[in-house]
Amino acid sequence: MATVPLALVGWLAVKVNADTLETTQRELQVVVLGDLARTIDDEFGDAEAGLDTIGRVLADKSLDPDARIALAEATVEARYSLDHAGIYTAEGELIDVISETGVDTSAVPEQLPDELMRAADPVRSTTGAVVESERAPRATIAVAIRPEGPDGPISGYIVSLVSTLGIQDRVAHLAEAHLAAGPDALFVVDRELRVIAHSDRGQALTMSSAADAGALDGINPEGLQPLIGRAGEYEGAAGTMVGTVIGLPDRPWAAVAQVPRAHAYASLEDMRKVVFGSVAAVMLLAGLFGVLAAQRLTAPLRALTEFAGELAKRRFDRRIEARSRDELGVLANAMSAAAAELEASEAQLAQEIEIRHDLGRYMPAEIVERVVKREQDMGLGGERREISVLFMDVVAFTPLTERLEPESIVELLNHLFTMSTEIVFRHQGTVDKFIGDSMMAFWGAPAPCPDHAERAVAAAEEILSWLEVANQNFRERYDCTVRLAIGINSGPCVVGNIGSDRRMEYTAIGDVVNVAARLEAIARPQQILVTERTRELAAAEFEFASVGGKQLAGRAAPVKLYEVRL
């Protein structure tokens, strides 16, 4: 029984290694080509930026001609990728050449090709033909001059033949560091499939054709996108190769990385010998050991497996009997002990959940959690906090109780308070108490809440919004419409345990609470009244309208009040 899975493991190990090796080789080539693409983009991006700067300087009519020429010459000197720049008219005729001292500009064309001018028309810059040069091929870079902006007419062109010497050096370095196998490990071709940079510098100088490379068979470099154009194995002049071709961003060129297949997968054959030899030896030993140990291990392992399945089904009241004193017996005892502990924990968790649920009906959830964890101070007294207090009352409740049955009144209030409580909790508030048809809630305790006023006003708005929808059900079921009056006040008060040692209540005491209750008493139906302090704290999130000063019971001076604009 052991030989079949072991053989399968060995075969899978070799297959996984082959797939991994193939993927790694291709990923390596993609990384190398990506590095090369960034180098080309940096080299020619610097040249394009320099030519664009020259074009802007020459088109700047605020400068005198001598200053323009001086700035253009300084730009050529400053750019490492530029040693000259040809200035052309809108018709492509050469006006002048700005160059560094000693630079041969004889290759600069007197007339730009129509194809190059058409390519530069819709874009900022374009790459033209690549020409041979003494040290390395040079690529034509043309930038259109548009004095009136990117969408304006072209007044001329700035053109330079940019050397690929820096790209050649990077190709040689990458090929030696990562693809040191074969003479054609890494190279770049132009739109005519001529080599313009090669790991062999001599081929780049002659710009020889690479059309016979298998990876380039049928490829048009101008149609390649800056993604993988081709990756895999193919037949070339040097035999079977593992290669990758990508198109270069903004250039009608392609970059190719390739290594001989035998070199790329050389380690695979060695691994096959090691893996299959090891698997064969292990298979022989496993077969001998399996015959001797199968009977001894099967029975207790089956029992342990069945017991683990019972535990997975949360049947923690089951136990397993240890019939041996070896490791399996120790494991059986440990699993039985774990089942007993899990059974006790389940019962304790169920009890705590039930206690939390029951206590949550009488006090805030935060206090319940702290009481269960024995973190809440159960002594009488409190601490001074700045909070926001909300009072909500059903308007014209007495006539409603005269018209409806008591059971309907209780059912309606339970529905109203249930949804109001959920909304308060959603805005991280604490429901303090229910007094008949009224509810008191506050924010800022027991957990500090810097935006307590904003949360209180938001909860009040959401309660009134919900009530508009709920009234449709109330009208159908109870033939009545519920209207609420809400008052909110913010300020310092004492929050804590109030009452006696036998019966206490977590609540808020202070003038802030009294004022909030009086605001609810004078508020109109569906109106939210707040004090000056609440408005100051919530002004950034809500709009308020002043209702003037109101004389409240127990207050010597009028209190300035505001209405929340819904």
Side-chain angles (χ1 to χ4, degrees):
M1 293 181 63
T3 57
V4 174
L6 284 173
L8 179 61
V9 168
W11 177 80
L12 288 175
V14 173
K15 184 177 185 304
V16 168
N17 181 71
D19 294 340
T20 302
L21 191 60
E22 179 180 353
T23 301
T24 302
Q25 181 62 224
R26 293 180 181 176
E27 289 178 348
L28 172 63
Q29 293 180 359
V30 170
V31 170
V32 170
L33 292 176
D35 188 312
L36 178 57
R38 287 189 295 272
T39 299
I40 295 174
D41 187 64
D42 290 341
E43 289 279 339
F44 287 94
D46 181 78
E48 289 169 350
L51 294 177
D52 183 67
T53 300
I54 294 172
R56 294 175 184 273
V57 167
L58 295 177
D60 189 354
K61 296 181 179 180
S62 65
L63 301 174
D64 62 73
D66 292 338
R68 299 182 202 175
I69 296 299
L71 286 174
E73 291 174 347
T75 302
V76 171
E77 292 286 343
R79 293 285 175 173
Y80 72 90
S81 57
L82 293 177
D83 57 10
H84 73 281
I87 306 170
Y88 291 82
T89 66
E91 292 72 32
E93 297 177 0
L94 180 64
I95 299 174
D96 194 8
V97 178
I98 300 172
S99 66
E100 297 178 355
T101 304
V103 173
D104 181 12
T105 60
S106 60
V108 177
E110 294 291 331
Q111 176 66 44
L112 293 180
D114 293 339
E115 177 185 359
L116 183 65
M117 291 189 292
R118 285 195 301 270
D121 183 50
V123 294
R124 184 179 71 86
S125 64
T126 186
T127 303
V130 181
V131 298
E132 294 184 19
S133 182
E134 181 178 353
R135 299 183 63 192
R138 286 175 169 262
T140 304
I141 302 296
V143 174
I145 302 175
R146 290 184 170 90
E148 298 178 12
D151 297 325
I154 296 176
S155 64
Y157 300 90
I158 304 296
V159 178
S160 182
L161 297 176
V162 180
S163 174
T164 61
L165 184 61
I167 300 171
Q168 173 62 47
D169 293 339
R170 188 60 180 171
V171 167
H173 172 74
L174 291 174
E176 182 180 355
H178 303 288
L179 305 172
D184 298 322
L186 185 63
F187 57 91
V188 180
V189 296
D190 64 4
R191 69 184 72 188
E192 298 173 11
L193 300 184
R194 298 180 304 171
V195 175
I196 60 176
H198 198 282
S199 52
D200 180 1
R201 191 181 299 271
Q203 294 195 40
L205 287 175
T206 60
M207 296 184 65
S208 59
S209 175
D212 60 343
L216 294 175
D217 184 25
I219 279 192
N220 177 14
E222 294 186 71
L224 281 175
Q225 299 297 322
L227 300 170
I228 297 176
R230 175 176 296 182
E233 298 180 9
Y234 56 88
E235 294 297 326
T240 304
M241 308 291 286
V242 177
T244 303
V245 184
I246 68 168
L248 299 180
D250 303 322
R251 320 286 169 205
W253 303 341
V256 182
Q258 59 182 9
V259 294
R261 188 182 188 282
H263 175 83
Y265 303 146
S267 63
L268 186 59
E269 288 299 325
D270 295 336
M271 182 180 181
R272 284 196 179 100
K273 296 177 183 178
V274 173
V275 169
F276 287 137
S278 301
V279 168
V282 172
M283 287 169 57
L284 178 60
L285 294 175
L288 294 175
F289 179 77
V291 172
L292 298 175
Q295 291 299 324
R296 179 180 177 84
L297 295 176
T298 301
L301 286 175
R302 185 184 300 113
L304 288 170
T305 302
E306 293 176 355
F307 184 58
E310 294 294 313
L311 295 181
K313 298 175 182 177
R314 306 188 69 84
R315 296 173 180 170
F316 301 138
D317 58 334
R318 308 295 175 85
R319 300 292 182 269
I320 184 171
E321 181 181 354
R323 298 182 179 180
S324 62
R325 296 183 179 180
D326 57 8
E327 291 82 357
L328 294 178
V330 174
L331 179 59
N333 290 330
M335 292 180 69
S336 294
E341 293 179 2
L342 288 172
E343 184 179 14
S345 297
E346 283 275 297
Q348 183 178 357
L349 286 174
Q351 184 180 12
E352 288 187 3
I353 291 173
E354 185 175 354
I355 292 173
R356 284 185 174 91
H357 182 266
D358 291 341
L359 289 176
R361 300 170 180 265
Y362 296 98
M363 62 180 66
E366 295 89 344
I367 301 301
V368 171
E369 194 66 25
R370 292 173 62 87
V371 169
V372 172
K373 293 180 179 180
R374 293 293 186 261
E375 297 175 354
Q376 176 65 24
D377 183 6
M378 301 305 294
L380 295 176
E383 58 179 334
R384 189 179 182 85
R385 290 275 188 89
E386 182 172 16
I387 65 173
S388 290
V389 182
L390 177 148
F391 272 87
M392 180 188 79
D393 180 69
V394 178
V395 179
F397 182 69
T398 301
L400 196 62
T401 59
E402 295 174 353
R403 188 163 57 86
L404 297 178
E405 294 295 328
E407 292 81 3
S408 298
I409 290 293
V410 172
E411 186 179 73
L412 186 150
L413 287 178
N414 285 339
H415 190 181
L416 175 64
F417 289 148
T418 296
M419 292 308 300
S420 299
T421 299
E422 290 298 323
I423 292 172
V424 170
F425 287 168
R426 186 157 55 244
H427 290 275
Q428 299 182 3
T430 299
V431 175
D432 185 284
K433 60 175 68 72
F434 300 102
I435 310 169
D437 61 327
S438 300
M439 181 183 78
M440 173 184 168
F442 55 83
W443 283 258
C449 182
D451 56 346
H452 52 83
E454 293 179 0
R455 293 183 180 276
V457 175
E461 280 194 342
E462 187 173 344
I463 290 173
L464 294 184
S465 298
W466 165 81
L467 187 59
E468 292 181 4
V469 179
N471 270 326
Q472 299 178 8
N473 178 52
F474 292 159
R475 284 190 287 270
E476 294 174 0
R477 188 164 185 175
Y478 307 111
D479 191 25
C480 70
T481 299
V482 176
R483 294 287 183 267
L484 297 177
I486 300 178
I488 302 175
N489 186 22
S490 302
C493 68
V494 175
V495 182
N497 298 323
I498 308 299
S500 67
D501 292 335
R502 299 286 302 275
R503 173 71 171 89
M504 65 180 62
E505 181 181 28
Y506 186 84
T507 186
I509 300 296
D511 187 58
V512 172
V513 179
N514 298 333
V515 172
R518 284 164 174 70
L519 294 186
E520 168 260 304
I522 66 173
R524 300 192 309 272
Q526 302 300 99
Q527 183 184 39
I528 305 172
L529 285 181
V530 302
T531 60
E532 175 77 14
R533 179 57 178 164
T534 302
R535 185 195 68 83
E536 290 176 355
L537 295 175
E541 298 293 332
F542 301 93
E543 293 185 7
F544 299 89
S546 176
V547 297
K550 297 289 184 179
Q551 186 67 47
L552 303 181
R555 308 286 292 190
V559 178
K560 192 173 182 180
L561 303 180
Y562 295 85
E563 176 185 8
V564 179
R565 288 185 174 177
L566 302 177

